[in-house]
């Protein structure tokens, strides 16, 4: 960018789309940190407009109402850098594409859009020769996208495993520490502003799956979309599952896992038992943490606030400074790297350990019948715990027949073999019910 004849560098015009939880904090930082940001970018950042849906909504005093507009389409064509904080697919995608086509750099926190249609944004940015940054789309404030996309790009990442949804981590933590049922903990998360009025995206794992898709794409230089990610939420988890996990030395976490296997890449999101000794077990409340295993770097762990206005705005501002510097000094951030194009495999190919809880008749020979089914399916049992539940005893004929609670832990087994084992075990007469089947990770 050319300096004016008096030596000053013209301001970069910044448009912010969305003035909600994150947008408000971005606007605040743009105002309060203006001098520092100008020094870091090499030019002042001039906020030229803030697009919203409704001009009448009450706003934080940090927001200059004269900058608000409902005409986002016009706003994006007048900016050097467009920051998209609306969320969802449309109109966010069309607005970003319009901004890029008119030569603006794009910064977004929109994981849903990137996971659904990232390649369209990448190729538009490539064609226009502009930056596309999205640090805030995964794990809020935690620098994670840049380390994977840039710092580790000389290494070979094998596995990414983490807690990337703060709402569900808060819910599971409350269930574990305060004995709450899931719906009570979700209600509490809503009251504290962690969960949305409609918490589906969080509790059903969609938010974490979008982040898993983004991380898998970056880590393995392969296009992985939301549809490629196996997804299970936490709605099936009960207070009983949580307390049983604790009795076996585990805690339940909603994990996002992306791994390189012999045949390709597998990305999955599901609740899992994590040993209490594992660092992820200690991630409390709404915090996020992500483990990365890379061939040369070894194990790395990233930890911090994965959500919230100010933490997320921190990541957005980092991207804004990077894009701004490129405008002033030249250069471009990384473009899409999908050269490896590894096959994206279903979860049936995943290898993991399991814990199966079941209620069985407590009489001679039951354990051997159950164990035989595991053996028939090639699933190796690592350990069995049995406790009797007198409260749930039933009478069979003349003799009392007690119900035993079994917890069977397996060695690593293929997903398909375990599923077949559970189906077969559930048909045995001596098995009253399968209480839960959970994967064990991080052991
Ligand atoms: P909010 O729902 O709080 O805010 C959305 C904003 O977008 C509102 O200001 C709304 O306007 C505006 N908006 C909605 N539709 C339109 C439209 N058609 N045209 C113009 N403006 C519109 O969302 P968040 O701030 O929570 O999230 C923003 C993005 O950041 C999302 O992609 C989200 O996934 C991501 N993110 C959020 C995090 C968080 O902790 N909240 C963490 C990490 C990422 P109005 O105010 O008038 O209703
Ligand atoms: N709803 C997300 C969470 C924050 O609870 O982590 C946005 O990514």
């Amino acid at each position: 960018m050319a300096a004016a004849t008096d030596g000053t560098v013209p301001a970069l015009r910044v448009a912010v789309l969305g003035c909600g939880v994150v947008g408000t904090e971005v606007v605040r930082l743009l105002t309060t940190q203006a001098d520092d940001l100008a020094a870091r970018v090499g030019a002042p950042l001039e906020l030229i407009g803030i697009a919203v849906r409704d001009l009448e909504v009450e706003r934080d005093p940090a927001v200059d109402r004269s900058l608000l507009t409902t005409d986002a389409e016009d706003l994006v064509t007048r900016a050097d850098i467009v920051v998209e904080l609306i969320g969802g697919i449309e109109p966010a995608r069309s607005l970003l594409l319009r901004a890029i086509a008119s030569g603006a750099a794009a910064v977004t926190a929109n994981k849903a859009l990137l996971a659904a249609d990232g390649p369209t944004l990448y190729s538009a940015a490539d064609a226009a020769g502009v930056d596309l940054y999205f640090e805030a789309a995964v794990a809020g404030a935690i620098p994670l996208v840049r380390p994977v996309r840039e710092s580790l790009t000389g290494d070979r990442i094998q596995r990414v495993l983490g807690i990337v949804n703060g709402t569900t981590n808060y819910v599971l933590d409350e269930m574990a520490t305060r004995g709450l049922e899931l719906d009570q903990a979700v209600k509490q998360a809503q009251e504290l502003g962690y969960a949305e009025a409609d918490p589906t995206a969080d509790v059903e794992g969609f938010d974490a799956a979008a982040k898993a898709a983004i991380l898998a794409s970056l880590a393995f230089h392969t296009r992985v979309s939301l549809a490629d990610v196996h997804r299970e939420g936490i709605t099936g988890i009960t207070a009983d599952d949580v307390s049983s996990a604790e009795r076996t030395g585990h805690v339940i976490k909603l994990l996002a896992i992306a791994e390189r296997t012999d045949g390709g890449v597998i990305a999955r999101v599901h609740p899992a038992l994590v040993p209490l000794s594992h660092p992820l077990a200690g991630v409390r409340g709404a915090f996020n943490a992500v483990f990365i295993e890379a061939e040369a770097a070894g194990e790395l762990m990233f930890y911090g606030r994965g959500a919230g206005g100010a933490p997320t705005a921190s990541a957005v501002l980092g991207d804004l400074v990077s894009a701004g510097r490129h405008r002033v000094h030249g250069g471009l951030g990384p473009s899409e790297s999908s050269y490896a194009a590894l096959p994206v495999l279903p979860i049936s190919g995943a290898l993991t350990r399991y814990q199966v809880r079941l209620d069985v008749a407590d009489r001679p020979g039951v354990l051997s019948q159950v164990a035989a089914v595991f053996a028939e399916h090639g699933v190796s049992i690592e350990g069995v715990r049995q406790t009797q539940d007198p409260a749930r005893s039933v009478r069979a004929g003349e003799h009392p027949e007690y119900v035993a609670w079994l917890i069977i832990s397996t060695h690593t087994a293929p997903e398909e073999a375990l599923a077949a084992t559970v189906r077969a075990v559930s048909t045995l007469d001596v098995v009253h019910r399968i209480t839960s089947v959970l994967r064990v990770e991080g052991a």
Side-chain angles (χ1 to χ4, degrees):
M1 176 177 283
T5 45
D6 64 358
T8 57
V9 181
L12 292 174
R13 293 159 299 170
V14 176
V16 174
L17 312 183
C19 192
V21 174
V22 183
T24 300
E25 294 306 317
V26 167
V27 167
R28 187 195 311 283
L29 288 176
L30 273 171
T31 313
T32 57
Q33 311 286 336
D35 291 345
D36 282 333
L37 291 170
R40 290 168 200 174
V41 169
L45 297 178
E46 182 196 354
L47 181 57
I48 60 163
I50 308 164
V52 292
R53 188 172 30 194
D54 182 353
L55 292 174
E56 303 309 316
V57 169
E58 200 177 316
R59 308 275 168 192
D60 188 286
V63 176
D64 176 352
R65 296 190 77 91
S66 70
L67 292 175
L68 296 175
T69 174
T70 52
D71 192 352
E73 294 209 356
D74 168 66
L75 179 61
V76 299
T77 59
R78 295 188 281 116
D80 296 303
I81 306 174
V82 169
V83 181
E84 185 275 307
L85 300 168
I86 293 175
I89 309 298
E90 287 295 349
R93 173 173 46 198
S94 304
L95 290 169
L96 279 171
L97 291 175
R98 192 179 170 102
I100 289 167
S102 58
V107 173
T108 178
N110 194 333
K111 75 228 55 166
L113 176 56
L114 287 159
D117 201 13
T120 300
L121 295 180
Y122 275 125
S123 57
D126 258 6
V130 298
D131 279 327
L132 171 63
Y133 278 114
F134 48 90
E135 181 62 64
V138 185
I142 307 173
L144 188 60
V145 168
R146 199 172 262 99
V148 175
R149 205 181 179 196
E150 300 185 41
S151 320
L152 289 167
T153 195
D155 206 334
R156 188 179 155 92
I157 294 178
Q158 299 291 11
R159 195 165 198 245
V160 180
L161 172 139
I163 296 165
V164 293
N165 182 269
T167 303
T168 46
N169 201 57
Y170 172 83
V171 166
L172 292 170
D173 193 30
E174 286 293 290
M175 290 174 77
T177 53
R178 300 181 355 104
L180 299 186
E181 281 293 353
L182 182 100
D183 51 357
Q184 295 172 304
V186 169
K187 190 161 173 282
Q188 206 166 287
Q190 286 169 318
E191 282 161 10
L192 286 169
Y194 294 138
E196 303 283 328
D198 175 5
T200 311
D202 293 317
V203 296
E204 294 292 359
F206 288 102
D207 176 79
K211 293 165 181 169
I214 295 169
L215 287 175
S217 303
L218 297 174
F220 304 121
H221 305 273
T222 291
R223 286 183 176 172
V224 180
S225 77
L226 178 65
D228 296 319
V229 181
H230 173 87
R231 177 190 54 78
E232 294 167 38
I234 62 166
T235 46
I237 302 295
T238 62
D240 185 38
D241 292 330
V242 171
S243 59
S244 163
E246 196 183 343
R247 283 196 296 277
T248 62
H250 296 88
V251 63
I252 299 179
K253 297 289 187 190
L254 182 72
L255 297 184
I257 302 169
E259 57 203 344
R260 188 194 291 268
T261 69
D262 286 345
V265 169
I266 299 177
R268 51 193 167 108
V269 166
H270 52 70
L273 294 162
V274 175
L276 288 169
S277 55
H278 192 278
L280 286 181
V283 177
R284 306 286 310 276
F287 277 78
N288 285 190
V290 177
F291 255 79
I292 296 182
E293 295 165 23
E295 217 167 72
E299 287 187 346
L300 303 158
M301 183 166 168
F302 300 81
Y303 172 84
R305 292 184 194 280
T312 308
S314 161
V316 172
L317 264 291
D319 284 351
L320 195 44
V321 169
S322 297
R325 279 184 185 147
H326 290 148
R327 287 273 146 163
V328 175
H329 304 293
L332 270 183
S335 53
E336 184 185 25
S337 173
S338 58
Y339 76 91
L342 298 172
V344 185
L345 307 173
I347 192 173
S348 52
L351 275 177
T352 185
R353 297 170 55 207
Y354 297 85
Q355 200 181 81
V356 182
R357 288 202 296 135
L358 57 168
D359 293 356
V360 296
D362 194 5
R363 59 180 136 95
V366 170
L367 203 50
S368 67
Q369 280 188 62
V370 172
V373 176
F374 277 74
E376 279 160 24
H377 290 85
V379 177
S380 176
I381 292 175
E382 188 250 330
V384 179
R385 282 168 67 109
Q386 177 175 333
T387 46
Q388 200 179 57
D389 175 19
R392 289 212 240 157
S393 298
V394 293
R395 282 194 173 270
E398 306 248 309
H399 304 288
E401 180 173 273
Y402 290 102
V403 176
W405 288 350
L406 285 187
I407 301 178
I408 300 181
S409 304
T410 75
H411 287 294
T412 303
E415 179 89 17
E416 273 176 330
L418 194 280
T421 306
V422 171
R423 277 195 302 275
V425 165
S426 68
T427 64
L428 295 176
D429 287 346
V430 294
V431 173
H432 293 299
R433 67 174 185 136
I434 308 282
T435 317
S436 76
V437 179
L438 283 168
R439 300 174 186 86
V440 182
E441 298 288 346

